Amino acid sequence: MKRPIPFLLCLAMAAACRAAGPSEPDEGADAWAGPPSDPRTGWHFYVDPPPAPRPRAAPHPRNAQGDERDALARFRQLQKEVEERRALAVILPTEPNVRRYMELEAKVVRNASLFADIAQRIAWSHPELDPATQGRPVNATALEVFEQEQARARSEVLARAAREHVLMFFFRGDCGYCHAMAPVLDAFRRRHGIRIIAVSADGGALAGFPDARRDNGIVRTMHVQQFPALFLAQPFSGRIDPVGVGVLSEAQLAERIVTLFDGRDGKGSPQPVFGFDQP
């Protein structure tokens, strides 16, 4: 029996494929095993290969700056939302409006409490950020030590100021405040040894300052308009700084003189934290 020629050709092709062995699939076409090996499909049968897989997109790394911008945008949005809900609750104080505002405020308070707890833990491990270690302490024992050190430092500065400076005291004989200020100045002079030059603007006398000088035009030169008035002067340099006008206590007088004396060399002057040269 003679077989049809197309059938014989299909058998020959199938044998050739088996002899050659399976070919390695191309990269990206793993799901396609090549042409069909079933001889019944015929040589004219064609199978479409599957589409090549799309390359997977690499995950985007987290952007810290982008996260910060998102957080700041959320903060501004939260501020606006709180203001709007509060305004609505005040203008239309219905139960739903007030409740919505209180719910949002409670969330803000919880977040602020969490912030305070974290800030406290950071302050404990970073003393330079702890307010309790900067300036005046709050603990009673530490406060006593702090005040003793402050008094000692203040006495040293006042002693140096007394060696190089004088206090100019402008008064009037008919000024009640000047008479009240006189014993304070006299006690301060005896305590710290600073020299006081008293100048009478109207020629009147003042107890405790029998050697007061009469005004020779210095009142107008110093632009003294209210009495009593005090100035810290350095005779050898001619520098004069105002200390204050009106009745001052000894503590106030000492504090102001120390501030003026320390600030002349710039060491005692506070420096700005945020300057224009900051990045």
Side-chain angles (χ1 to χ4, degrees), residues 11-269:
L11 290 177
M13 292 176 61
C17 290
R18 286 194 297 268
S23 58
E24 295 184 359
D26 295 336
E27 183 178 358
D30 296 338
W32 188 54
S37 58
D38 189 355
R40 292 176 294 179
T41 56
W43 60 272
H44 59 280
F45 192 86
Y46 179 76
V47 178
D48 291 332
R54 296 181 180 179
R56 296 181 180 178
H60 294 284
R62 292 182 60 85
N63 190 344
Q65 294 182 352
D67 293 343
E68 291 177 358
R69 286 193 295 267
D70 293 342
L72 292 176
R74 173 56 184 152
F75 178 74
R76 289 189 290 267
Q77 180 183 357
L78 180 62
Q79 283 184 316
K80 182 179 179 181
E81 189 175 355
V82 171
E83 292 175 0
E84 290 178 351
R85 289 196 183 184
R86 180 172 59 243
L88 186 61
V90 171
I91 300 301
L92 296 176
T94 63
E95 184 175 344
N97 289 344
V98 176
R99 186 182 66 253
R100 282 195 295 267
Y101 168 68
M102 293 179 65
E103 290 173 350
L104 182 59
E105 186 183 31
K107 293 180 180 179
V108 174
V109 170
R110 285 196 297 270
N111 220 50
S113 178
L114 177 61
F115 162 80
D117 293 341
I118 296 175
Q120 189 176 52
R121 291 197 297 269
I122 293 176
W124 291 341
S125 57
H126 297 78
E128 70 278 5
L129 301 177
D130 190 354
T133 62
Q134 307 295 327
R136 190 181 182 87
V138 295
N139 180 271
T141 305
L143 182 60
E144 183 179 356
V145 176
F146 174 80
E147 290 179 346
Q148 292 175 356
E149 293 180 351
Q150 289 291 103
R152 186 183 305 109
R154 185 165 53 247
S155 297
E156 293 177 357
V157 173
L158 288 173
R160 294 199 307 268
R163 291 194 296 267
E164 302 176 359
H165 298 74
V166 297
L167 270 177
M168 300 182 67
F169 173 43
F170 294 90
F171 69 93
R172 291 178 60 91
D174 58 353
C175 170
Y177 296 107
C178 299
H179 286 273
M181 186 65 188
V184 177
L185 282 176
D186 187 48
F188 186 82
R189 172 176 57 184
R190 297 176 185 276
R191 185 185 306 275
H192 300 286
I194 190 170
R195 182 186 175 192
I196 298 179
I197 299 177
V199 179
S200 176
D202 61 351
L206 199 62
F209 297 94
D211 56 347
R213 304 178 184 182
R214 299 179 62 89
D215 177 30
N216 59 356
I218 191 173
V219 172
R220 176 177 297 181
T221 302
M222 299 294 296
H223 304 285
V224 180
Q225 298 179 352
Q226 294 181 345
F227 301 92
L230 289 171
F231 293 83
L232 184 66
Q234 193 174 33
F236 65 86
S237 66
R239 179 169 180 172
I240 301 176
D241 294 313
V243 176
V245 176
V247 180
L248 301 174
S249 65
E250 285 193 60
Q252 290 176 315
L253 190 58
E255 181 181 359
R256 296 189 183 192
I257 292 177
V258 170
T259 301
L260 288 172
F261 190 80
D262 283 347
R264 289 189 170 185
D265 55 3
K267 295 180 180 180
S269 301

